[in-house]
Amino acid sequence: MKDWSKIYITDQFHRAEIVIAVLEDYDIEASMIDKRDSSYLFGDIEVFVQEKDIEQAKKIILENEL
């Protein structure tokens, strides 16, 4: 994922999906990497956006209290 940066981390899958859906509503392409243990489901899910969208994505996350 060249030119992509992590902007959000959560341990709840549904929260990551909500963040991605909101960002996509603003035409910001977002992707997640699920780093949770597959057996016990502990760990983090990370949301990434392209570097050109970092500032706008962070602003949207803050404004929407995600």
Side-chain angles (χ1 to χ4, degrees):
M1 290 179 50
K2 185 179 177 185
D3 298 329
W4 288 68
S5 294
K6 179 175 28 178
I7 59 153
Y8 190 82
I9 300 172
T10 183
D11 62 349
Q12 299 174 348
F13 189 79
H14 70 280
R15 301 227 8 122
E17 288 185 319
I18 291 169
V19 168
I20 289 173
V22 170
L23 292 174
E24 288 177 348
D25 284 346
Y26 287 88
D27 296 322
I28 295 176
E29 186 177 355
S31 182
M32 80 169 89
I33 296 178
D34 188 347
K35 292 190 171 184
R36 296 179 299 168
D37 178 271
S38 60
S39 297
Y40 300 103
L41 297 180
F42 67 87
D44 292 323
I45 298 117
E46 301 173 345
V47 177
F48 292 80
V49 297
Q50 293 181 359
E51 288 183 12
K52 65 180 179 70
D53 296 322
I54 291 172
E55 294 303 317
Q56 184 181 6
K58 286 181 178 181
K59 182 179 176 185
I60 292 166
I61 290 169
L62 287 174
E63 288 175 352
N64 289 283
E65 297 179 4
L66 303 171

